Amino acid sequence: MGQFGLNVAISHRIGTARNNRSMLSAMDISREEFFANFGRSINDLILSHRLDLERKRKMTRPPTEPKMRWVDGTPEYSLHIYALHKLFPEAVFIHVLRDVRDVVRSMLNFHRVAGTHLVQNEEQAYKYWLRMVKACVQAERAYGSGVVHRLSYTALIDDPVWAIRSLLEFVDEPYSARCLDPLSRRINSSNVPPDFVAEDPATDPSVVQDATNLYAKLQEMAQSAEASPAVADEIEAAFTKRVEHMATVDKQLHEARRMIQTLEKAGS
């Protein structure tokens, strides 16, 4: 849904390009309202099919315990928090911070479980981690700890009761010991062989240093509770710039197709 959020913004940009001569502008439909309406429709659609999912996964739940919350753990959403926050204004985000070296090993072995390579080499893996984590930290600063919650991966291993309690408190859900059950086994593992060697002589040492330094810094630095309007504005400005670029590209492609169609008609 990250790309979908970008497309929603592009559609709104195109739909307001001619001011009051455009439908969305003439009806005073803001980008926030446009986003939120799509988000509500998606939420309603997913919740309405909850029973279908539970049936396929052979889950049993008493009808007196309807679940109105759903979770999507797609890592790439780290780069789309602004759009997702606009689509789902009441959504909260959990940033699980894991040692970059372990993540790199996992990414390099991703093909063992997925059949496709997430990254091609060690340097790409470190850069991937840096992009994701920097985006999450920026979102932490922008929206505060009430919207984005950072959790150390080591806490899930060393003190799972505290970790799960903190997560449930964050999402305002009651604690249950059953929530610890999934932690008794490895989930979404890349099946990294014990003797796997990730180090590649071709990897830029400065990239590795940047990543390990950032991880060490975040391990020592507590998350700020307060939201920063200035950082939020930075995220919005970057998103808007990207939307403007994509809308311009889309317009150019449309004009190019129309020109080709005109030439084809003239040639026939």
Side-chain angles (χ1 to χ4, degrees):
M1 277 182 281
Q3 185 61 43
F4 176 80
L6 179 62
N7 289 336
V8 169
I10 293 172
S11 296
H12 185 270
R13 171 66 183 83
I14 295 173
T16 57
R18 296 184 298 160
N19 299 319
N20 286 339
R21 294 176 61 192
S22 298
M23 181 63 73
L24 297 181
S25 292
M27 300 184 73
D28 292 329
I29 298 176
S30 67
R31 187 162 80 175
E32 286 70 20
E33 184 180 4
F34 198 61
F35 263 104
N37 272 274
F38 276 101
R40 280 194 295 272
S41 296
I42 293 171
N43 187 62
D44 291 344
L45 181 65
I46 290 176
L47 292 180
S48 69
H49 284 270
R50 176 179 60 85
L51 295 178
D52 298 316
L53 177 65
E54 292 181 353
R55 184 182 65 255
K56 290 181 179 180
R57 294 186 175 178
K58 298 181 180 180
M59 301 167 62
T60 57
R61 192 187 310 282
T64 56
E65 296 183 12
K67 296 301 178 183
M68 305 304 290
R69 185 189 298 279
W70 51 278
V71 179
D72 192 330
T74 305
E76 286 76 13
Y77 285 172
S78 302
L79 304 174
H80 299 281
I81 294 177
Y82 173 85
L84 294 171
H85 188 48
K86 291 298 181 183
L87 279 171
F88 311 107
E90 297 181 5
V92 291
F93 302 86
I94 297 171
H95 172 202
V96 180
L97 178 65
R98 187 180 182 187
D99 190 318
V100 60
R101 292 162 296 188
D102 292 335
V103 176
V104 167
R105 290 172 59 85
S106 180
M107 283 193 284
L108 290 173
N109 283 272
F110 184 75
H111 63 282
R112 295 178 182 273
V113 292
T116 58
H117 289 269
L118 184 62
V119 293
Q120 296 301 315
N121 53 53
E122 184 193 25
E123 183 169 325
Q124 282 189 11
Y126 274 101
K127 288 181 176 180
Y128 185 101
W129 184 92
L130 277 167
R131 287 181 65 213
M132 299 294 177
V133 173
K134 286 181 178 180
C136 287
V137 173
Q138 186 182 37
E140 290 177 11
R141 296 172 58 206
Y143 306 123
S145 59
V147 175
V148 184
H149 176 72
R150 187 199 309 163
L151 177 70
S152 173
Y153 180 85
T154 56
L156 287 168
I157 306 302
D158 299 337
D159 194 350
V161 174
W162 175 88
I164 295 300
R165 282 188 180 277
S166 73
L167 290 178
L168 291 173
E169 181 180 348
F170 173 62
V171 298
D172 195 26
E173 294 283 356
Y175 173 78
S176 171
R178 291 179 59 190
C179 295
L180 298 174
D181 292 348
L183 298 180
S184 64
R185 60 185 185 276
R186 297 179 68 185
I187 298 178
N188 196 28
S189 169
S190 294
N191 296 326
V192 182
D195 60 347
F196 176 72
V197 177
E199 291 75 14
D200 182 352
T203 299
D204 184 348
S206 66
V207 174
V208 178
Q209 192 66 49
D210 287 346
T212 53
N213 286 347
L214 178 58
Y215 176 70
K217 179 181 178 181
L218 293 175
Q219 283 286 89
E220 299 174 356
M221 183 179 70
Q223 179 182 353
S224 175
E226 299 298 323
S228 170
V231 178
D233 288 344
E234 289 177 7
I235 293 178
E236 181 173 16
F239 180 81
T240 300
K241 183 177 180 180
R242 185 179 180 190
V243 169
E244 292 287 344
H245 171 72
M246 296 300 294
T248 301
V249 170
D250 184 79
K251 182 180 179 181
Q252 290 174 344
L253 289 173
H254 178 73
E255 291 176 348
R257 292 192 194 100
R258 187 170 59 182
M259 183 178 296
I260 291 172
Q261 290 172 353
T262 301
L263 292 174
E264 289 176 342
K265 291 179 179 178
S268 60

